[in-house]
Amino acid sequence: EFTGSGNGDVSEMLGACPDDKVAYGLFRFTEIYDKQEHVKFGFVHWSPANGLSPILKATISTHKGAITPQFRPFHHQFYVENRSELDEARAVDAVASLSGTKSKVTDRKAEKKKSVYQRKMIGGATKETQTLQYVDKEELRVAIANVRNDSMSENWVIAGFIGDKKNVQFGLKGKGSGGAKEMAGAFDEESIQYGLLRTNEKVDGYDTVKFTLIQYQPSAMPLTMKGIVGVYHGAVTSMFTPHHANLNTSDKQDILNKFA
């Protein structure tokens, strides 16, 4: 049964968990590295240390395999018996340790390294010019969030690069609720675009939501645009993370064939 939802952090979610029942929850948090915000999802299996009978524990264990897929995708799973075991800082630390983004050196050593090393960039580019600029970042975040929300009708979103080499920005290009066919028709032939598609599949008899990141690269796209995209690829894909699968293509028919 549904217990509740909110807009606070994982501590608020744990506070809503019952003291005498097992509960499962999904929470969203942000990890910051390379000066970029990366959205992460944590799955919590709440099993209070006191208050559960052995019979109930045994019954719960038989259903866990069916319950967990309903919360996918997520970056890390947390098994919690006491509320003090998990907060947002611990969640960030766990994901960073797992992904390798957690710093293994002191701040002093990192500063020393910066003083003797300067990255050389092609064409005289600087670190500042490599920072991705958005047409409207909040508008894009909302559009992506709607695709991830099963209660919303939108099941696809497309974003792409707008402008020229000297003034390029990344922004929303389209969204809709018509699935893969509608999405394929919305890709244009002017630049590389990235899209997130939500689909439903049957897995072991259960309805499972899947997210696919589609990178569409028109064959007639100028070489200058290809170079620009290479610089920002990491920042762009992080906007659409997490997802279950990737599809890179220059042919819209590939999209139709995969999701026929």
Side-chain angles (χ1 to χ4, degrees):
E1 63 177 0
F2 176 70
T3 301
S5 62
N7 55 17
D9 59 14
V10 65
S11 296
E12 181 186 67
M13 187 184 78
L14 290 174
C17 291
D19 292 323
D20 58 348
K21 295 180 181 178
V22 169
Y24 301 87
L26 189 72
F27 67 98
R28 184 180 68 233
F29 60 101
T30 302
E31 180 189 10
I32 299 177
Y33 61 89
D34 293 337
K35 297 184 178 180
Q36 294 282 342
E37 292 186 357
H38 301 264
V39 176
K40 304 292 183 180
F41 292 91
F43 172 61
V44 172
H45 176 185
W46 164 254
S47 181
N50 301 310
L52 292 183
S53 68
I55 296 177
L56 181 58
K57 288 183 178 180
T59 303
I60 297 289
S61 65
T62 62
H63 298 299
K64 185 174 182 292
I67 293 172
T68 303
Q70 307 305 313
F71 292 86
R72 296 189 187 277
F74 50 80
H75 295 87
H76 199 284
Q77 180 171 336
F78 302 90
Y79 186 87
V80 182
E81 293 185 333
N82 296 290
R83 293 182 175 87
S84 61
E85 294 174 352
L86 181 63
D87 54 26
E88 185 143 343
R90 289 184 176 92
V92 171
D93 185 71
V95 170
S97 299
L98 187 65
S99 64
T101 58
K102 183 179 180 181
S103 175
K104 301 297 190 301
V105 297
T106 64
D107 291 339
R108 182 177 180 181
K109 289 181 180 179
E111 289 299 321
K112 183 178 180 180
K113 183 177 181 180
K114 289 180 182 177
S115 68
V116 298
Y117 171 76
Q118 184 175 1
R119 183 181 177 191
K120 304 296 182 182
M121 301 180 185
I122 297 175
T126 65
K127 187 174 181 180
E128 287 70 26
T129 61
Q130 285 196 318
T131 300
L132 182 61
Q133 302 296 320
Y134 295 88
V135 176
D136 189 331
K137 190 173 184 179
E138 185 58 27
E139 178 188 41
L140 179 56
R141 283 187 184 278
V142 170
I144 293 173
N146 286 344
V147 171
R148 294 195 181 281
N149 189 341
D150 290 345
S151 66
M152 302 295 288
S153 62
E154 289 93 341
N155 53 26
W156 64 267
V157 59
I158 294 174
F161 293 95
I162 301 169
D164 55 28
K165 184 177 181 180
K166 293 184 179 180
N167 185 30
V168 64
Q169 293 181 307
F170 191 72
L172 180 67
K173 284 203 165 188
K175 58 185 178 178
S177 56
K181 184 176 181 179
E182 183 183 60
M183 183 185 189
F187 283 111
D188 63 44
E189 303 300 315
E190 298 175 0
S191 68
I192 288 183
Q193 293 132 82
Y194 297 80
L196 189 69
L197 175 67
R198 184 181 78 227
T199 56
N200 291 282
E201 299 179 14
K202 282 281 188 181
V203 178
D204 296 331
Y206 294 95
D207 288 323
T208 304
V209 176
K210 299 287 188 181
F211 295 96
T212 301
L213 173 62
I214 300 175
Q215 179 180 327
Y216 181 69
Q217 179 174 316
S219 56
M221 188 182 67
L223 290 175
T224 53
M225 181 56 71
K226 291 182 180 180
I228 291 173
V229 172
V231 172
Y232 300 117
H233 180 75
V236 168
T237 54
S238 68
M239 290 285 295
F240 298 91
T241 300
H243 48 270
H244 298 90
N246 292 74
L247 175 62
N248 299 334
T249 183
S250 59
D251 188 346
K252 295 180 181 180
Q253 190 61 43
D254 290 341
I255 302 172
L256 299 177
N257 293 340
K258 182 175 178 64
F259 300 101

